[in-house]
Amino acid sequence: MDSIRDFGLRNVSSQCSLSEMDDNDLSRLLDKPRINIDRKRSFDERSFSELFNGIPRQLAPESNIDCSYSSGGRSGLATPASSARNSFEPHPVVVDAWDSLRRTLVYFRGQPVGTVAACDHASEEVLNYDQVFVRDFVPSALAFLMNGEPDIVKNFLLKTLHLQGWEKRVDRFKLGEGVMPASFKVLHDPARKTETLVADFGESAIGRVAPVDSGFWWIILLRAYTKSTGDFSLAETPDCQRGIRLILNLCLSEGFDTFPTLLCADGCCMIDRRMGVYGYPIEIQALFFMALRCALAMLKPDAEGKEFIERIIKRLHALSYHMRTYFWLDFQQLNVIYRYKTEEYSHTAVNKFNVIPDSIPEWVFDFMPTVGGYFIGNVSPARMDFRWFALGNCVAILSSLATPEQSMAIMDLIEARWEELVGEMPLKIAYPALESHEWRIMTGCDPKNTRWSYHNGGSWPVLLWLLTAACIKTGRPQIARKAIDLAETRLLKDGWPEYYDGKLGRFIGKQARKYQTWSIAGYLVAKMMLEDPSHLGMISLEEDKQLKPMIRRSSSWTC
């Protein structure tokens, strides 16, 4: 067995968690010490495809693009290593995507530290698209990791960790110590020959909202880096351990809330405009859950770490039950809500949040297929937001917040409602769009968020990588292939737009930037992941049997 393990054959599955069985069995986690060799074993699947092909991962020859990605040399790969390894000509869209992605690299003191949000030279307003955003960089980071270029990801993780330690103020108010920046930029002073990092924690953002998701994405990316490279030294440094604890301290603090979900303001995540997602948005809850599981795998069980491990375990149990029970909607549960009684008191109440059945929007009844389901957008007292949100549902699958049955039901829904959720450009960020009076009230008459535009039902190519990862994990790669083929007919020709408008996503967004970096990187990640599914291991977590709640009602997938 040792010889098999040494060659990486033990880890055929690419979906194992960072610490394998120790992390999958929460009930035994605190009693069983962690052994580094076990953790390293779970990363060996990254080399399985290379071993299978018999060809080592190599870098392609330099092109004329002057872009350094590590301190050890230069590379301007026109052909990604993943394609070169399999000896076939890459798709023309892939070649242009790598070229465009490398042109977005940002350097600090000679080292690449991230990618700018967009390189749209035709746009008159730069705004903050010339900055490195934490959430935007994630698909870029995954692309570089999959292509065997981890140095830029390591630099990014260290620089954002350094920025986390800065004092953060909005007017006269001080933000929490663990808040990660929404974005940062490098200021060059040619006269003094100096470079300075300048971070935005929300004090300069539109709406002045601090990014709740940045810290979660940072933890998830740290785990992806560790899982891809097998390099534990970064995550185990005192600085990284402290950074993880600071983020957790912000979101695990006890307060007045009676729910295990995380209370958030509008504009705190990818949907960074007012869209009525305040309260307990699915995107934040899914990222919260995933970040907790990633942190659980990386925290050292020392004096400080053990306390957080205990808090994480308790929260995961409560959060998974709450989300799988109260946020889940299928045909059967919709019928239950339709027949709710109100003003119920005591622990025996069925309608625990006092939701008025008349508040169910008409579109839901036609939208919900008899087989399929999804996590709705929000649940809070007297309010259920029945809208579909793509990122939250995809992350729910990848993090195993969704049970295997729920994951399959989400994919069933996507297939059944392909025209509404995918249309002519993957993928609708939210469905349906807010219109008329509801749009005025919810968005504050935001002209950028008119119906079927931007975050109000617009189509975002970056979501392609999340859809692809979810498809692979649920054994539905044909759905991802169909979506990628669809995207390839437009993305390059249209100049890699930020988003598309229209009910079917037919039109380039009216205010969309061209050469949007995460549209480019999202496509590359989807393409490489479909080509080599073992890449899924760096961003996917197996189901934890200990977190499976007892859901008493029947579900659509058994109909």
Side-chain angles (χ1 to χ4, degrees):
M1 284 296 293
D2 288 340
S3 60
I4 293 176
R5 185 182 63 211
D6 291 341
F7 283 99
L9 293 178
R10 180 183 182 279
N11 297 285
V12 175
S13 171
S14 63
Q15 300 175 26
C16 47
S17 67
L18 190 63
S19 300
E20 289 192 314
M21 291 306 297
D22 287 350
D23 286 330
N24 283 339
D25 190 351
L26 296 183
S27 63
R28 295 182 293 162
L29 183 64
L30 298 180
D31 301 323
K32 182 176 278 190
R34 302 189 177 196
I35 304 173
N36 278 345
I37 190 170
D38 283 344
R39 300 206 307 181
K40 289 182 180 178
R41 249 185 286 160
S42 69
F43 291 98
D44 288 344
E45 75 264 18
R46 70 192 172 89
S47 60
F48 178 74
S49 61
E50 298 169 32
L51 182 69
F52 184 81
N53 288 316
I55 304 173
R57 184 173 298 197
Q58 297 176 355
L59 297 181
E62 289 184 18
S63 72
N64 59 354
I65 306 168
D66 187 11
C67 292
S68 303
Y69 67 87
S70 71
S71 57
R74 292 175 38 179
S75 175
L77 306 182
T79 302
S82 58
S83 293
R85 190 171 68 243
N86 287 295
S87 303
F88 61 83
E89 284 296 318
H91 195 287
V93 182
V94 173
V95 175
D96 186 87
W98 276 110
D99 187 347
S100 300
L101 180 60
R102 295 191 188 284
R103 293 182 189 279
T104 69
L105 286 169
V106 173
Y107 295 83
F108 180 70
R109 297 175 184 173
Q111 295 292 323
V113 293
T115 52
V116 293
C119 281
D120 187 358
H121 300 295
S123 177
E124 295 179 359
E125 288 185 305
V126 175
L127 294 177
N128 53 1
Y129 283 82
D130 63 343
Q131 298 186 25
V132 180
F133 280 82
V134 172
R135 77 172 69 97
D136 291 40
F137 180 68
V138 171
S140 295
L142 295 177
F144 286 120
L145 287 174
M146 291 177 184
N147 204 47
E149 304 176 62
D151 287 356
I152 181 176
V153 182
K154 184 176 183 178
N155 293 340
F156 170 85
L157 289 166
L158 289 171
K159 285 294 174 283
T160 46
L161 181 64
H162 171 69
L163 295 172
Q164 183 196 38
W166 290 11
E167 183 179 271
K168 301 166 276 285
R169 288 184 178 273
V170 177
D171 294 330
R172 298 184 180 183
F173 184 69
K174 185 178 179 181
L175 276 67
E177 190 177 5
V179 174
M180 279 287 183
S183 63
F184 67 86
K185 69 184 303 181
V186 179
L187 293 182
H188 302 271
D189 187 337
R192 298 182 180 180
K193 296 182 179 180
T194 59
E195 294 179 338
T196 309
L197 288 177
V198 178
D200 177 15
F201 294 92
E203 72 274 20
S204 300
I206 295 172
R208 301 300 188 266
V209 179
V212 176
D213 61 341
S214 288
F216 298 152
W217 278 123
W218 186 87
I219 291 175
I220 293 166
L221 186 56
L222 177 62
R223 183 247 183 200
Y225 168 85
T226 307
K227 195 164 178 60
S228 173
T229 63
D231 176 13
F232 305 93
S233 60
L234 179 61
E236 292 177 348
T237 59
D239 286 344
C240 277
Q241 290 288 307
R242 182 174 182 272
I244 294 171
R245 292 195 302 267
L246 286 175
I247 295 169
L248 295 175
N249 198 49
L250 278 176
C251 53
L252 293 176
S253 300
E254 296 175 345
F256 290 99
D257 213 323
T258 57
F259 313 133
T261 40
L262 203 61
L263 184 64
C264 300
D266 256 342
C268 67
C269 53
M270 179 181 173
I271 298 177
D272 59 2
R273 296 292 190 281
R274 183 175 171 183
M275 270 288 289
V277 298
Y278 61 89
Y280 307 92
I282 179 61
E283 177 175 332
I284 289 298
Q285 311 316 317
L287 286 171
F288 180 31
F289 181 87
M290 190 167 191
L292 288 179
R293 291 201 63 194
C294 290
L296 188 62
M298 294 186 292
L299 278 173
K300 289 183 177 180
D302 52 20
E304 292 178 297
K306 188 172 182 179
E307 177 193 348
F308 278 95
I309 290 171
E310 292 173 348
R311 292 167 69 183
I312 289 172
I313 292 172
K314 290 178 182 178
R315 192 61 166 261
L316 282 173
H317 277 286
L319 183 61
S320 61
Y321 178 83
H322 184 92
M323 296 298 297
R324 294 169 179 176
T325 304
Y326 303 121
F327 273 67
W328 181 252
L329 187 72
D330 55 24
F331 184 82
Q332 180 70 22
Q333 180 59 8
L334 179 59
N335 201 60
V336 171
I337 298 170
Y338 178 69
R339 292 169 51 83
Y340 266 166
K341 294 179 181 179
T342 58
E343 302 301 322
E344 292 181 299
Y345 181 75
S346 85
H347 297 288
T348 61
V350 176
N351 186 2
K352 294 186 178 182
F353 300 96
N354 198 38
V355 174
I356 311 299
D358 286 347
S359 68
I360 303 175
E362 287 294 325
W363 66 265
V364 178
F365 297 103
D366 294 327
F367 178 74
M368 179 59 69
T370 54
V371 176
Y374 65 104
F375 289 99
I376 63 174
N378 222 313
V379 176
S380 56
R383 180 186 180 224
M384 296 183 80
D385 184 347
F386 290 91
R387 284 176 294 174
W388 151 272
F389 290 93
L391 193 151
N393 276 273
C394 288
V395 172
I397 292 174
L398 295 177
S399 66
S400 288
L401 170 60
T403 64
E405 297 83 4
Q406 288 174 335
S407 296
M408 295 303 287
I410 293 171
M411 300 312 298
D412 287 339
L413 179 84
I414 292 173
E415 282 196 296
R417 296 291 175 256
W418 183 266
E419 185 173 346
E420 292 91 336
L421 302 181
V422 181
E424 297 186 19
M425 175 54 65
L427 179 66
K428 279 274 178 282
I429 190 171
Y431 180 89
L434 301 173
E435 303 186 61
S436 305
H437 182 66
E438 186 181 23
W439 166 77
R440 292 184 178 89
I441 296 299
M442 284 286 196
T443 73
C445 298
D446 184 355
K448 195 169 187 176
N449 265 344
T450 53
R451 63 179 190 145
W452 308 115
S453 180
Y454 200 54
H455 294 314
N456 189 14
S459 297
W460 291 72
V462 64
L463 297 172
L464 187 63
W465 82 264
L466 286 158
L467 175 64
T468 301
C471 289
I472 295 172
K473 184 170 183 180
T474 54
R476 310 276 190 96
Q478 71 279 4
I479 299 178
R481 166 52 57 201
K482 184 179 177 182
I484 291 173
D485 288 346
L486 199 61
E488 284 178 340
T489 64
R490 297 279 310 269
L491 286 177
L492 176 57
K493 180 175 65 174
D494 294 341
W496 303 101
E498 179 183 14
Y499 63 94
Y500 285 79
D501 285 352
K503 203 167 186 178
L504 296 177
R506 298 181 65 188
F507 307 100
I508 298 174
K510 57 187 174 183
Q511 294 189 45
R513 292 298 194 280
K514 296 288 188 74
Y515 290 92
Q516 185 79 15
T517 305
W518 68 357
S519 295
I520 298 165
Y523 163 75
L524 285 172
V525 172
K527 193 80 171 176
M528 287 190 285
M529 203 177 293
L530 198 60
E531 173 192 315
D532 182 357
S534 71
H535 288 314
L536 179 67
M538 72 174 73
I539 200 66
S540 177
L541 294 162
E542 272 191 341
E543 183 194 18
D544 191 320
K545 306 295 186 192
Q546 300 299 317
L547 295 178
K548 202 163 188 176
M550 293 177 60
I551 302 179
R552 292 182 172 83
R553 63 173 181 267
S554 59
S555 301
S556 68
W557 52 82
T558 61
C559 294

